[in-house]
Amino acid sequence: MFRSILLTGLIASLATAAPTHRLFVSNEVGDSVTVIDSRSGEVQATVTVGGRPRGIGFSPDRKYVYVALGDDNAIAVIDAQTLKVERKIPAGSDPEAFAVHQDGTIYLSNEDEGLASALDPSTGEILAEIKVGLEPEGVGVSPDGKQVLVTSESSNMVHVISVSEKKLVANILVGARPREVAFSPDGTVFWVTSEVAGHVSKVDRASNKVVAVNNRLRREINPRVKPKGVLLSHDGSRLYISLGRGNAVAALDPDTLAVQATAEVGVRAWGLALSRDGKRLYTANGPDATVSVVDTESMKEVATIPTGEMPWGLALDD
């Protein structure tokens, strides 16, 4: 079965659409998605999608943009070329964030029900509902496609779900209010941000043990830091962290979690995206209703782009 999943993923990757060079921004209060030309920084369109859009990402072939609509209990499907909302897929109660498996399945967090759901977007069928902790949020799929991770904000845990069995196989205790996860390319480790604790943790996937923690971010950067977004640079040399009310983004050493550099950005930086060449880092700044563009070489903000009200998540087709 796993071979068939890998084959499906390979076929999908070969059929990937040409990049649109668009940055898609979910606006939680604006009930919309702002579409930005990543080359010029100009806003191309505002797409009305429905109630409380938060999580945002692409289908494996990048032909569609998926948006989690918490108030509509649905996933909106936007054609990445025409920018038309093709349909809305029922997705259980209060979907917040999601990750798309290599086989096309959407794994999502149902925040108010303490569930992680597996959704087939082609049929609209919910394949499984897995009980996790309180207020699940961040979702990540391992590079080998065998596991899905889900963070639970009020349980202070990362939950490990077996894809083949569609069941919970491990719980990992981390710092208070974990938000997002990111994997190393080989899948041997992953990183977790903990907003209330102010921590970033590194976890060994084989043992499900925390092997490193940076709990000094508030002392080293500023006391308002609340880590939220996390992504690894394409060359693996930097771990980028959005710092929420710290109004900044940090670059950490992925191994030691030592702070390498910081950049001041807009207010309450949450969602992150990185350009294909690794030269531009984007942050969604909620109360500012902007996206910041950071030059990763100088770690300086070089532009701000207007969005809708309370931008939350970013998806870049670069």
Side-chain angles (χ1 to χ4, degrees):
M1 178 179 178
F2 184 54
R3 288 182 179 177
S4 68
I5 290 174
L6 287 178
L7 181 59
T8 301
L10 177 60
I11 292 171
S13 67
L14 292 174
T16 299
T20 61
H21 302 288
R22 286 169 167 166
L23 177 66
F24 297 87
V25 187
S26 62
N27 301 308
E28 182 178 8
V29 176
D31 294 345
S32 64
V33 169
T34 300
V35 184
I36 298 167
D37 186 323
S38 63
R39 295 163 296 186
S40 67
E42 295 180 356
V43 174
Q44 293 184 328
T46 300
V47 182
T48 300
V49 289
R52 203 182 182 195
R54 289 177 290 177
I56 188 167
F58 296 103
S59 60
D61 59 11
R62 303 183 85 80
K63 292 180 180 179
Y64 299 101
V65 181
Y66 297 139
V67 188
L69 305 176
D71 287 350
D72 290 356
N73 300 331
I75 299 289
V77 181
I78 303 172
D79 185 299
Q81 292 285 343
T82 66
L83 304 181
K84 301 296 185 184
V85 177
E86 297 287 325
R87 58 196 174 111
K88 294 181 183 180
I89 309 169
S93 180
D94 194 21
E96 178 167 4
F98 62 85
V100 181
H101 192 276
Q102 295 89 325
D103 68 1
T105 303
I106 300 172
Y107 287 86
L108 58 96
S109 56
N110 297 110
E111 184 178 24
D112 64 355
E113 291 196 335
L115 294 175
S117 298
L119 173 66
D120 183 340
S122 62
T123 65
E125 180 185 2
I126 294 180
L127 305 173
E129 293 180 333
I130 302 107
K131 190 68 178 176
V132 290
L134 300 175
E135 291 189 282
E137 176 161 336
V139 185
V141 175
S142 63
D144 61 12
K146 293 183 177 181
Q147 292 180 334
V148 170
L149 303 181
V150 178
T151 66
S152 285
E153 296 175 283
S154 294
S155 297
N156 302 334
M157 287 182 178
V158 177
H159 308 285
V160 183
I161 294 169
S162 166
V163 168
S164 62
E165 299 174 277
K166 298 288 191 296
K167 74 175 187 180
L168 185 68
V169 296
N171 296 306
I172 305 166
L173 188 66
V174 293
R177 200 172 177 84
R179 298 301 299 264
E180 292 191 13
V181 297
F183 282 95
S184 62
D186 62 7
T188 58
V189 301
F190 60 89
W191 298 270
V192 187
T193 54
S194 295
E195 183 181 25
V196 170
H199 294 179
V200 176
S201 302
K202 178 183 175 183
V203 181
D204 175 74
R205 187 167 162 225
S207 65
N208 288 330
K209 300 292 185 184
V210 175
V211 294
V213 178
N214 186 327
N215 57 8
R216 307 174 306 277
L217 295 175
R218 289 174 180 157
R219 297 195 298 271
E220 295 176 349
I221 301 173
N222 73 60
R224 301 183 306 278
V225 160
K226 291 190 172 183
K228 202 275 185 185
V230 54
L231 61 80
L232 188 68
S233 65
H234 303 315
D235 63 4
S237 66
R238 282 180 162 182
L239 188 70
Y240 292 111
I241 308 292
S242 64
L243 300 177
R245 297 185 187 281
N247 304 338
V249 63
L252 309 186
D253 182 294
D255 294 323
T256 67
L257 302 183
V259 176
Q260 296 176 328
T262 61
E264 293 184 5
V265 292
V267 174
R268 203 214 66 183
W270 274 15
L272 288 175
L274 185 65
S275 63
R276 185 183 297 269
D277 61 13
K279 294 181 179 180
R280 301 180 311 282
L281 181 68
Y282 300 88
T283 71
N285 312 315
D288 278 357
T290 63
V291 164
S292 290
V293 185
V294 175
D295 177 275
T296 57
E297 183 176 354
S298 65
M299 284 300 286
K300 300 290 185 184
E301 182 187 63
V302 294
T304 57
I305 305 168
T307 65
E309 193 173 358
M310 294 294 286
W312 194 97
L314 302 176
L316 178 60
D317 183 26
D318 194 15

